[in-house]
Amino acid sequence: LTWLRPYRKRYLLGITAGLLMVLIEMQSPLFMQQLINLATGYVSGSLQPSPTESQIIRRIVRIVALWAVLLGGTVLLHRASILVMASAGERVQFDYRRAIFAHLQKLSLSFYDRTKLGRILSRCTTDLSGMREINVWGIDTIVKNSLIVLVAGAMLLKTEPRLFLAVAWLTPLLYLINRYFRRKLGVAWQ
């Protein structure tokens, strides 16, 4: 985290843009609900006062236009999030590279006699590549996916509590299984 600290404002800006994007995208079911309710209400004749066909079409067009504007905004927010997160992540990567190079410069010549240059370069490249995924995309992905799960769970709880309870108990189980396999993969990878 000390490497990320100088760029915390950039990360915060990128994560905020990503969170806004997710929150807006998660409104799509509400737009679908409005469209379905409007269409089924018109066909069944249950809308009061009873609108004409042209009035229904105008209302549908307004709903779809608002939905399109919001989705267009999410595209812009996504682009902004990508640019800001990539910029911050690459700056952290540059700091890592500079620190590794400085450390390699301090090592004794006997170290370089004992260790093959290819092994040093391979290790640096592999470690930096692994860190890049975390620095550039990992933080943003974890925060956005957590928000998606929380909002989807809240929507499910609000609309169908029994279905929420039928699914919610799986969360701790999946978490434990995930941790178990990550440990096994970590040992196998090394």
Side-chain angles (χ1 to χ4, degrees), residues 27-37 63 67:
Q27 302 309 308
S28 290
L30 297 176
F31 283 100
M32 289 300 295
Q33 178 187 22
Q34 289 292 318
L35 292 171
I36 291 169
N37 289 346
I63 292 171
W67 191 8

Side-chain angles (χ1 to χ4, degrees), residues 38 41-42 45-52 55-56 59:
L38 194 59
Y42 177 73
S46 63
L47 294 178
Q48 295 300 326
S50 184
T52 65
Q55 289 173 326
I56 286 294
R59 285 173 69 180

Side-chain angles (χ1 to χ4, degrees), residues 133-166:
E133 291 301 315
I134 294 168
N135 292 330
V136 176
W137 307 118
I139 299 166
D140 186 49
T141 301
I142 289 170
V143 170
K144 285 195 290 193
N145 287 348
S146 299
L147 181 67
I148 288 171
V149 168
L150 290 174
V151 170
M155 291 172 102
L156 186 59
L157 181 62
K158 181 182 175 192
T159 58
E160 191 57 50
R162 291 181 301 168
L163 182 59
F164 173 80
L165 292 174

Side-chain angles (χ1 to χ4, degrees), residues 1-188:
L1 289 175
T2 55
W3 293 95
L4 305 178
R5 189 169 288 127
Y7 309 105
R8 66 180 172 266
K9 288 182 182 177
R10 285 180 186 264
Y11 276 110
L12 187 61
L13 180 63
I15 289 170
T16 302
L19 290 177
L20 285 173
M21 178 201 72
V22 167
L23 287 174
I24 293 171
E25 282 181 344
M26 298 281 303
Q27 302 309 308
S28 290
L30 297 176
F31 283 100
M32 289 300 295
Q33 178 187 22
Q34 289 292 318
L35 292 171
I36 291 169
N37 289 346
L38 194 59
T40 56
Y42 177 73
V43 170
S44 68
S46 63
L47 294 178
Q48 295 300 326
S50 184
T52 65
E53 185 175 327
S54 63
Q55 289 173 326
I56 286 294
I57 291 172
R58 280 196 296 275
R59 285 173 69 180
I60 289 174
V61 167
R62 280 196 302 264
I63 292 171
V64 170
L66 178 59
W67 191 8
V69 167
L70 287 177
L71 289 179
T74 63
V75 169
L76 296 175
L77 286 170
H78 191 219
R79 178 72 175 146
S81 176
I82 288 172
L83 291 174
V84 171
M85 293 302 289
S87 170
E90 291 301 331
R91 288 170 191 256
V92 171
Q93 286 297 108
F94 181 74
D95 291 348
Y96 282 156
R97 284 187 185 98
R98 193 172 18 195
I100 289 171
F101 184 73
H103 177 71
L104 290 173
Q105 292 292 319
K106 292 177 186 174
L107 295 175
S108 67
L109 290 177
S110 63
F111 171 79
Y112 291 104
D113 287 338
R114 292 187 317 265
T115 311
K116 294 180 180 178
L117 182 61
R119 182 174 165 85
I120 296 170
L121 290 175
S122 175
R123 177 71 190 268
C124 290
T125 303
T126 304
D127 290 352
L128 284 172
S129 177
M131 292 302 293
R132 182 181 187 281
E133 291 301 315
I134 294 168
N135 292 330
V136 176
W137 307 118
I139 299 166
D140 186 49
T141 301
I142 289 170
V143 170
K144 285 195 290 193
N145 287 348
S146 299
L147 181 67
I148 288 171
V149 168
L150 290 174
V151 170
M155 291 172 102
L156 186 59
L157 181 62
K158 181 182 175 192
T159 58
E160 191 57 50
R162 291 181 301 168
L163 182 59
F164 173 80
L165 292 174
V167 174
W169 71 271
L170 290 171
T171 303
L173 180 65
L174 290 174
Y175 176 77
L176 292 173
I177 291 171
N178 185 9
R179 285 188 52 109
Y180 172 77
F181 281 108
R182 280 186 31 219
R183 284 189 187 142
K184 292 286 186 186
L185 283 173
V187 170

